[in-house]
Amino acid sequence: MNENVSPDERLRQMIARLKESDNRVTPQRYAVLKVLAHSFEHPSAEDIHAQLLDNFPTMSLATVYKTLALLKQQGEVLELEFSDLCNRYDGNKPYPHPHVICTGCGAIVDPSFQDFAEISQKMMDETGFKIVAHRFDFYGLCPDCQNSE
Ligand code: ZN
Ligand code: MN
């Protein structure tokens, strides 16, 4: 589950999953998928929409939201919900993984350290739960925001 795949391979995987589940990949949906597969910044729906307006002037924000909902339903995008920020999306790694979040500018980064299997195992051993997901958010100030303090 923790394999790192290239953006193009992720795009292929998302398209394959939608087709398998009898969902059409329209040009607008394809464009949303492509942005998600190639973004490492965890864009919001608004970010994705803004990136696509040049090529798709008629695309509505609702189309972006509907595509995100479909991908989420298929397990092909990870949605990060926040109480004080808009939701952000990771299409590169659609499975649970830790994030480092800047409280200054909202930047979200995937640390290269991703091995939380041992922690999950300890949680299962201690509680008897079958752990199926986790969420680790680390908050702080990114280098840019530290420099402008
Ligand atoms: Zn920042
Ligand atoms: Mn991520």
Side-chain angles (χ1 to χ4, degrees):
M1 194 151 118
N2 283 344
E3 82 272 32
N4 268 325
V5 302
S6 71
D8 286 332
E9 179 57 22
R10 271 303 297 146
L11 182 57
R12 275 193 290 275
Q13 289 174 353
M14 287 192 264
I15 292 167
R17 182 65 67 95
L18 289 190
K19 286 186 172 164
E20 277 165 26
S21 53
D22 285 330
N23 287 289
R24 290 199 311 135
V25 181
T26 61
Q28 293 200 354
R29 271 187 186 164
Y30 179 87
V32 173
L33 265 47
K34 196 170 173 192
V35 169
L36 280 169
H38 286 264
S39 298
F40 294 92
E41 298 84 24
H42 306 82
S44 65
E46 288 79 4
D47 294 334
I48 297 167
H49 185 238
Q51 282 190 48
L52 293 174
L53 272 184
D54 277 349
N55 286 330
F56 296 90
T58 62
M59 186 184 294
S60 69
L61 186 56
T63 300
V64 177
Y65 274 114
K66 279 182 206 157
T67 306
L68 285 167
L70 186 58
L71 288 170
K72 197 182 150 192
Q73 183 197 330
Q74 298 295 328
E76 290 295 324
V77 73
L78 181 70
E79 182 178 58
L80 300 171
E81 289 181 285
F82 298 100
S83 55
D84 51 351
L85 285 175
C86 45
N87 289 357
R88 305 277 289 268
Y89 296 89
D90 191 331
N92 297 112
K93 298 191 183 86
Y95 45 83
H97 59 274
H99 288 99
V100 182
I101 300 162
C102 180
T103 54
C105 67
I108 301 181
V109 171
D110 288 342
S112 62
F113 177 76
Q114 298 279 352
D115 188 9
F116 282 70
E118 194 185 328
I119 295 176
S120 284
Q121 189 56 53
K122 283 188 171 143
M123 297 294 161
M124 290 194 269
D125 292 346
E126 185 182 322
T127 63
F129 277 49
K130 182 181 189 305
I131 305 281
V132 294
H134 60 246
R135 181 159 176 187
F136 287 104
D137 289 341
F138 297 86
Y139 291 93
L141 280 180
C142 73
D144 283 349
C145 287
Q146 289 175 53
N147 287 334
S148 59
E149 255 186 320

